[in-house]
Amino acid sequence: MPVAKKPPVKKSQTPKALGAVARQQLLLINGLLDEVGRNYLARLRREITDLVRCLEKKQAESSFSRSELKDLRDLLKRIAHLQINPERGRRKDLKKIDSLIGEVQLTVEKW
C-alpha cells in the first residue's frame, strides 16, 4: 500500500520545482483516495452480504422469536427513514450507511 511521502524540504527550491512536487503529491493522494474508497466499499459490501446470509439462514429455519421480529420491524423502520442523496456524493451519507450497517450487525449478533 503506497504511503504519502513527505516532499524533500529545500529552502532554495524554485516556485516551479515546488509546483512539481505539489503536483506529484496530489497525484499520490488521488491514488490513495481510489484505494481507500475501493477498500471501504468492499468492506461495507461484505458486511451487507454477511447480514443477508444471516437473515436468509434465520428465515429458512423459521425461527424468529417475538423479540427478533420486533427487532426486524425496528430495523426496517430505520432503513425506511434513511435519508441520503446519492447524487451529492457526501461523506456524511456514507457515514449514515456505515452506521446503519453497524446497527443491523449489533441487532443480528444478539440473536
Side-chain angles (χ1 to χ4, degrees):
M1 174 170 80
V3 176
K5 298 176 187 172
K6 291 186 178 182
V9 179
K10 293 182 182 176
K11 304 260 183 209
S12 62
Q13 283 186 331
T14 65
K16 193 173 189 177
L18 285 174
V21 170
R23 180 182 177 279
Q24 287 175 329
Q25 293 301 304
L26 287 171
L27 291 173
L28 179 66
I29 290 171
N30 193 38
L32 290 172
L33 175 65
D34 288 340
E35 183 177 352
V36 169
R38 274 192 312 273
N39 291 334
Y40 181 73
L41 292 175
R43 178 182 58 83
L44 291 178
R45 287 187 177 118
R46 272 192 315 272
E47 290 174 0
I48 291 171
T49 301
D50 291 344
L51 289 168
V52 167
R53 284 188 192 131
C54 183
L55 287 171
E56 287 172 345
K57 180 181 175 185
K58 194 76 168 166
Q59 189 176 16
E61 296 170 357
S62 299
S63 62
F64 285 107
S65 68
R66 280 187 170 186
S67 66
E68 291 169 347
L69 288 173
K70 182 184 179 302
D71 289 341
L72 276 175
R73 286 185 195 98
D74 290 343
L75 290 175
L76 290 172
K77 283 180 189 175
R78 286 189 208 144
I79 292 169
H81 289 102
L82 181 65
Q83 293 183 345
I84 59 170
N85 190 352
E87 297 85 31
R88 303 220 25 214
R90 298 180 299 186
R91 285 183 295 236
K92 75 179 200 176
D93 290 337
L94 284 174
K95 176 125 176 75
K96 287 178 185 179
I97 293 169
D98 195 356
S99 296
L100 181 63
I101 292 169
E103 291 173 16
V104 174
Q105 286 175 322
L106 289 174
T107 301
V108 170
E109 283 175 3
K110 68 180 183 179
W111 294 348

